[in-house]
Amino acid sequence: MIHFERFTLPNGLTVLFHKDVTTPLAVINTLYDVGARDESEEKTGFAHLFEHLMFGGSVNIPDFDAPLQLAGGESNAFTSNDITNYYNVLPAANIDTALWLESDRMLSLAFTPKSLEVQRNVVIEEFKQRYLNQPYGDVWLELRPLAFHTHPYKWCTIGKEISHIEEATMEDVKAFFGAHYHPANAILCIAGNFELEEIREKVTKWFGDIPEKLKPARILPAEPEQTEFREKIIERNVPTDAFYYAFKMAERRSDGYYFSDILSDCLGRDKSSRLYIALKKEQKLVSEIGAYISGDLDNGLLIISGKLNPGVTFDMLDKALWEALDELKKSPMEESELNRLMIKIRTAREFQEQGLLNRAMNLCYFELLGDANGINEEHLIYQAIQPAHLQESAIHLFRKENCSLLKVKSMTND
Amino acid sequence: MINRALAPELQTIKHIDFLKPRVFDVSQNVHLYWNENVLNDTSRVDLYFDAGTILGTIGVASFVNGLLLSGTKEHTSIEINESIDALGGFFESGVSNENAVISVYALKENMLPVLRIIRDAIHGASFPEHEVEELLIDRKQKFLVNMEKVNFLAQRAFQQRLFSESIYGRVSDVKDLDSISRQEIVAFHDEYYLNGLSKMVVVGDIGQDAVDQIIDLFGDWSHAHQPTFEKNIQNLRGTAHVVKDDAVQSAIRVGRMLFNKTHPDYLDFNILNTILGDYFGSRLMSNIREDKGYTYGIGTMMAELHASGYFLIATEVGKDVREATLVEIQKEIEILQNELVPEDELELVKNYLLGQLLKSADGPYSMTDLYLSVEPYNMDMDFYNKTIESINGITAERIQLLAKKYLNWSDMTIVSAG
């Protein structure tokens, strides 16, 4: 059970407070309800580039990191297709420093040309390091547009192409800030050994005078139901053939999301999973195989990916994989198998909740989903899941016309 | 109206409570360390073995580590994994040059049953032919994938030159994997796992009885004596480059052999290390990322071995700015040698380091890891009180002196790939 209190400032900022008497640290986590899905198709990679700029100084404070480090703290952030999340961890006694910095950059940024120029370069190097200069690094750049034709999930958080980042202008930056960075579009969570009243007073002091704006309406083009099997083959200078089967799955706030989560565990989370046993251990078709969900807020993907063993063809793999998927459709899972998946989920959650920062981030995320208390109720959703639900879900998910397949063919293998 | 231009007042950390885990004798020279101060149902058990890559024929250590749960006469690897997963257990194993560590994570009520399965699996490991073959194919594939990464290529070449003539500088190749024999696998497993346990760690509120049972379960694997570790390793100075034609970035490694926590300059040098490259506001990050935009990240670290240690600078940069980056790194080091660190920067780094230390001591898992990082050197939690003293007492003059003493460019091993 993760306890929390919630209050809202008159300017629309939602604040969560999680008390932990055992820690000498404070976490200040700020989630902005903006991600790569909110970008326009001609200017992708912007939410993430913007995240970098948030460290380039704010309206009253020239540098974000130095004052925080001087207070013994540190900070970082991440951007996904759905959200942008900033966090600060510092000694509890210096919490005001983090609130001062975080509130000032919510008020307004410094918008210096130098910061934009340098961070454009840094992000381009990040693009190269993570997507271009790694074997299989560009897979998501290929897979997303194959699986999504309309919804903005068709591009990666880093952006569709480097030129979009190169062309970002200061006007773009300012417009993006104006639209998305203000109290009504943020969820703040403070965790540490404090009293509620103390937190209310501090947050009001630092964030209370930030002007109120309307939360932007989000109207995203919906992805039409996929009606045909899609396949793309790319040839790369990689040592081994690799495959990525992407199945469209339900949105985050639906039961179907949880069914897909368990099905992906069942297929490829651990060394006792079905695909690992059938395709790797028994049939020796693959050197590695795994299944996971993308975890998106809107309709996302369940991915099955792996690498072929030498001498194995994509067709051999395809036949064996569909046989394993058909098993899930044909007969309901045994209770013992479901129990095994559940205890792993429960164990992983307990470990995750050990960390103060994880708790603060998750509270914000569940608040975005509708109610921070969802974090304490999620296990009930899992507990209610029956083998019949999973069978039904498998029948719906694992259809050829719901699948996009990316094959990476090794050029050195011929 | 609040004055936003004015920073809030700060408090400096004066004192941190460092809690040592409880110590139990397993044998004459093997101990179990137990931290029971975990508030939820999680628990972790680590087993340390003398099964590092400096032992045995090349490649065998990592190979045996990958085969620990590959099956016994009674159970297949699938059965073993299924029974661990049915208890919600997570099994991790890894090898470094000096030891191998197994970590098991489970809810506390499931820890003992999981450990029993693992004990039986490792004890009775029969290394089935098909499992050995399968791992061989997997490892070859992974190796080939790694050889496509400039980071891996640079690290590999760096390790060869840093440790030069020493056994630590040995790196394996695909052909080494083929030549590992069954006898070598069996012998290594017997010598360094079944007779190579060097320490055990328990984190979790699992109760005294469970701790006793863990000692009973694994105690008979205790090693008879500590292995000896090489001292006085000399790095090969100068520059080397590994060509990778299709790379869009180059990986860079610059470093030298240095010392570990037992050396009197260690703590102060760590402050210099932080200033140069070990935090977001470091000299190297400020120059090479935040001013020039050459890289997504650059960092320095101090790595420790049992009888020595080394210092390392690592980054990946645009291929066209590789030389420019090396010039800037050298420049930043020379500035530290020629000029005093300004007071405000030193103040910032001191506070930052104290804050990081507080964070490293937050929670039972982190606190235990703090202890584990000094225990190999026969030191105690008092090391961290000394760390606070070192931070509070450091001067700009001392930093400059250490930079002159230990960071001469001509002493460095410099490697790039890409």
Side-chain angles (χ1 to χ4, degrees):
Chain A
M1 180 76 188
I2 298 175
H3 293 273
F4 70 93
E5 307 277 351
R6 180 197 292 115
F7 59 93
T8 310
L9 297 190
N11 61 12
L13 180 67
T14 302
V15 186
L16 304 168
F17 166 55
H18 167 61
K19 182 168 179 158
D20 181 340
V21 297
T22 66
T23 180
L25 301 171
V27 168
I28 291 85
N29 189 74
T30 315
L31 182 156
Y32 286 93
D33 185 4
V34 57
R37 65 176 171 163
D38 299 305
E39 297 159 350
S40 81
E41 192 164 0
E42 295 72 42
K43 292 175 179 178
T44 65
F46 216 85
H48 170 253
L49 172 65
F50 195 85
E51 173 215 312
H52 279 247
L53 297 173
M54 281 285 276
F55 293 88
S58 53
V59 57
N60 296 295
I61 312 168
D63 182 16
F64 182 88
D65 284 292
L68 191 67
Q69 287 152 359
L70 187 66
E74 65 176 353
S75 177
N76 213 332
F78 63 83
T79 309
S80 73
N81 287 68
D82 295 322
I83 62 164
T84 315
N85 190 84
Y86 300 82
Y87 55 91
N88 312 293
V89 183
L90 80 172
N94 291 336
I95 182 176
D96 274 298
T97 302
L99 295 173
W100 168 61
L101 289 162
E102 205 58 79
S103 63
D104 202 55
R105 67 178 175 179
M106 189 184 289
L107 183 65
S108 185
L109 288 187
F111 300 116
T112 63
K114 165 88 180 174
S115 172
L116 177 59
E117 188 200 321
V118 167
Q119 291 310 318
R120 266 196 306 240
N121 285 335
V122 170
V123 170
I124 289 167
E125 288 307 319
E126 181 180 357
F127 199 123
K128 290 184 196 162
Q129 183 171 325
R130 291 163 68 152
Y131 294 83
L132 304 182
N133 207 29
Q134 299 291 338
Y136 313 100
D138 62 344
V139 157
W140 277 97
L141 295 174
E142 300 286 347
L143 187 57
R144 283 185 174 278
L146 184 66
F148 296 102
H149 287 176
T150 312
H151 190 282
Y153 284 165
K154 65 182 170 180
W155 57 81
C156 284
T157 309
I158 194 81
K160 209 189 257 183
E161 49 196 85
I162 284 184
S163 66
H164 285 192
I165 299 159
E166 284 168 339
E167 288 158 11
T169 67
M170 189 57 89
E171 273 164 63
D172 296 334
V173 171
K174 286 184 175 163
F176 197 84
F177 184 86
H180 302 289
Y181 282 77
H182 52 84
N185 214 32
I187 300 164
L188 176 71
C189 179
I190 298 185
N193 187 12
F194 303 101
E195 298 300 331
L196 174 64
E197 278 320 304
E198 183 186 4
I199 291 302
R200 193 193 300 272
E201 194 184 305
K202 284 182 189 300
V203 171
T204 305
K205 172 181 167 189
W206 292 112
F207 290 84
D209 65 355
I210 301 175
E212 179 182 4
K213 279 189 193 174
L214 275 185
K215 190 173 167 66
R218 176 176 285 119
I219 307 160
L220 299 179
E223 184 68 21
E225 168 96 20
Q226 186 174 335
T227 53
E228 77 295 332
F229 172 69
R230 297 171 190 166
E231 179 178 315
K232 183 171 184 184
I233 303 171
I234 55 175
E235 297 200 348
R236 291 291 182 272
N237 190 15
V238 290
T240 316
D241 293 341
F243 55 88
Y244 300 81
Y245 287 78
F247 298 90
K248 294 265 173 54
M249 59 167 272
E251 57 171 324
R252 182 66 183 81
R253 293 177 184 87
S254 66
D255 288 344
Y257 179 90
Y258 292 92
F259 302 153
S260 302
D261 186 30
I262 295 183
L263 285 171
S264 73
D265 287 357
C266 161
L267 286 167
R269 173 177 181 152
D270 294 307
K271 289 184 173 171
S272 60
S273 65
R274 290 191 180 198
L275 295 178
Y276 187 88
I277 291 176
L279 273 58
K280 180 173 162 72
K281 303 304 285 189
E282 290 174 358
Q283 302 177 46
K284 303 185 191 311
L285 299 173
V286 298
S287 62
E288 49 186 82
I289 189 157
Y292 53 94
I293 58 173
S294 57
D296 294 307
L297 282 173
D298 299 328
N299 293 6
L301 299 173
L302 182 152
I303 317 273
I304 297 168
S305 68
K307 297 195 174 76
L308 296 182
N309 268 337
V312 175
T313 64
F314 282 111
D315 286 344
M316 291 158 75
L317 177 268
D318 191 75
K319 191 168 170 291
L321 177 65
W322 281 102
E323 275 169 21
L325 297 177
D326 286 340
E327 270 302 303
L328 274 172
K329 301 199 271 188
K330 258 192 302 198
S331 36
M333 195 181 286
E334 297 284 335
E335 284 290 339
S336 61
E337 186 177 6
L338 185 56
N339 289 341
R340 199 171 66 215
L341 301 170
M342 290 302 190
I343 178 78
K344 286 235 103 150
I345 289 171
R346 193 184 137 212
T347 306
R349 190 186 63 237
E350 289 272 333
F351 273 97
Q352 223 201 14
E353 288 182 3
Q354 263 288 312
L356 186 70
L357 178 58
N358 278 335
R359 275 175 267 155
M361 277 182 188
N362 284 332
L363 282 168
C364 283
Y365 192 72
F366 277 92
E367 182 69 14
L368 179 73
L369 293 180
D371 180 359
N373 196 46
I375 199 171
N376 296 313
E377 290 170 345
E378 197 173 38
H379 68 282
L380 298 173
I381 304 179
Y382 280 109
Q383 278 167 20
I385 294 173
Q386 300 295 322
H389 295 133
L390 298 172
Q391 186 181 7
E392 201 182 316
S393 178
I395 291 169
H396 180 72
L397 268 173
F398 301 125
R399 290 172 294 128
K400 198 109 195 195
E401 63 273 21
N402 191 41
C403 177
S404 303
L405 169 58
L406 179 69
K407 296 175 179 173
V408 186
K409 243 185 119 28
S410 163
M411 293 196 294
T412 52
N413 226 0
D414 294 324
Chain B
M1 251 328 246
I2 38 173
N3 180 359
R4 288 188 173 272
L6 199 66
E9 276 182 38
L10 294 181
Q11 291 184 36
T12 316
I13 297 160
K14 301 272 184 296
H15 174 82
I16 303 172
D17 280 322
F18 298 104
L19 300 177
K20 183 185 169 166
R22 294 168 65 187
V23 185
F24 298 82
D25 290 340
V26 177
S27 71
Q28 207 171 356
N29 49 30
V30 175
H31 304 291
L32 180 147
Y33 304 100
W34 180 26
N35 185 337
E36 61 189 309
N37 304 314
V38 178
L39 294 174
N40 70 2
D41 290 339
T42 59
S43 64
R44 178 184 106 198
V45 170
D46 304 326
L47 305 173
Y48 283 72
F49 298 92
D50 303 330
T53 55
I54 53 172
L55 296 172
T57 50
I58 187 155
V60 71
S62 144
F63 210 65
V64 173
N65 189 262
L67 288 168
L68 290 174
L69 302 187
S70 65
T72 63
K73 295 221 156 47
E74 290 78 32
H75 297 290
T76 64
S77 68
I78 295 174
E79 289 166 351
I80 292 165
N81 285 310
E82 273 178 342
S83 51
I84 294 172
D85 288 338
L87 291 158
F90 289 86
F91 173 89
E92 282 178 10
S93 70
V95 197
S96 65
N97 35 31
E98 292 181 335
N99 56 37
V101 186
I102 291 171
S103 294
V104 181
Y105 301 83
L107 297 180
K108 63 183 180 184
E109 69 263 28
N110 295 326
M111 185 49 100
L112 266 177
V114 173
L115 289 177
R116 286 195 196 101
I117 295 163
I118 287 167
R119 145 90 202 182
D120 289 346
I122 295 177
H123 191 81
S126 60
F127 305 104
E129 210 58 63
H130 65 276
E131 292 278 348
V132 175
E133 251 167 64
E134 187 188 310
L135 186 68
L136 189 63
I137 296 171
D138 292 357
R139 289 289 167 92
K140 279 185 186 170
Q141 283 207 1
K142 286 217 169 70
F143 182 81
L144 292 174
V145 171
N146 280 333
M147 291 297 279
E148 293 296 318
K149 300 177 183 168
V150 290
N151 241 335
F152 181 82
L153 293 173
Q155 188 58 36
R156 188 175 145 89
F158 179 74
Q159 194 182 329
Q160 283 175 308
R161 297 173 72 84
L162 178 78
F163 297 125
S164 56
E165 300 300 307
S166 127
I167 189 88
Y168 289 83
R170 180 166 88 150
V171 296
S172 59
D173 215 324
V174 172
K175 62 178 189 329
D176 298 321
L177 289 169
D178 277 321
S179 57
I180 297 169
S181 74
R182 182 170 189 84
Q183 290 94 309
E184 281 169 331
I185 292 172
V186 172
F188 192 91
H189 171 253
D190 187 68
E191 186 169 0
Y192 299 116
Y193 283 95
L194 302 189
N195 293 287
L197 181 75
S198 62
K199 102 181 122 186
M200 290 195 266
V201 183
V202 179
V203 189
D205 184 18
I206 65 169
Q208 180 67 55
D209 187 49
V211 171
D212 292 340
Q213 292 194 53
I214 291 171
I215 292 174
D216 289 344
L217 266 180
F218 298 104
D220 61 329
W221 291 351
S222 296
H223 65 188
H225 49 79
Q226 275 271 14
T228 49
F229 297 101
E230 236 175 302
K231 284 181 208 160
N232 306 321
I233 302 168
Q234 300 292 323
N235 57 299
L236 203 61
R237 296 162 191 204
T239 306
H241 179 70
V242 184
V243 178
K244 187 171 187 306
D245 285 331
D246 56 349
V248 294
Q249 282 190 317
S250 291
I252 294 175
R253 298 286 182 279
V254 178
R256 58 162 300 179
M257 290 306 298
L258 205 60
F259 39 63
N260 61 28
K261 291 194 169 72
T262 58
H263 193 278
D265 287 337
Y266 177 90
L267 285 171
D268 289 353
F269 185 85
N270 189 40
I271 301 172
L272 168 60
N273 169 56
T274 307
I275 294 170
L276 178 61
D278 200 21
Y279 77 116
F280 195 85
S282 70
R283 297 277 178 104
L284 290 175
M285 275 294 266
S286 302
N287 178 343
I288 290 158
R289 173 177 148 138
E290 294 295 304
D291 185 56
K292 308 273 185 328
Y294 288 169
T295 182
Y296 179 47
I298 181 164
T300 63
M301 65 179 282
M302 293 167 76
E304 291 163 83
L305 301 171
H306 219 98
S308 61
Y310 60 93
F311 166 77
L312 169 68
I313 304 170
T315 186
E316 278 158 86
V317 300
K319 212 171 171 175
D320 51 324
V321 291
R322 184 179 72 218
E323 289 309 316
T325 303
L326 282 168
V327 169
E328 291 301 322
I329 293 174
Q330 188 177 359
K331 205 153 87 187
E332 288 299 337
I333 288 176
E334 284 168 5
I335 293 172
L336 284 168
Q337 291 173 325
N338 297 329
E339 297 170 24
L340 290 175
V341 176
E343 270 313 310
D344 54 348
E345 182 181 357
L346 194 57
E347 174 80 12
L348 182 149
V349 168
K350 287 161 77 164
N351 288 354
Y352 172 75
L353 281 169
L354 289 172
Q356 289 306 296
L357 192 57
L358 188 71
K359 196 175 148 196
S360 319
D362 183 37
Y365 289 93
S366 306
M367 188 67 91
T368 307
D369 291 339
L370 272 189
Y371 182 74
L372 293 175
S373 109
V374 292
E375 178 275 340
Y377 309 104
N378 296 318
M379 293 192 288
D380 222 319
M381 291 307 243
D382 192 45
F383 176 83
Y384 296 104
N385 295 319
K386 293 209 175 75
T387 305
I388 297 177
E389 280 170 34
S390 149
I391 295 168
N392 287 332
I394 195 75
T395 61
E397 288 75 16
R398 173 92 175 124
I399 295 286
Q400 185 180 15
L401 187 96
L402 292 171
K404 282 182 176 165
K405 194 167 168 189
Y406 295 118
L407 291 181
N408 290 313
W409 196 251
S410 58
D411 292 334
M412 298 290 171
T413 297
I414 301 160
V415 173
S416 57

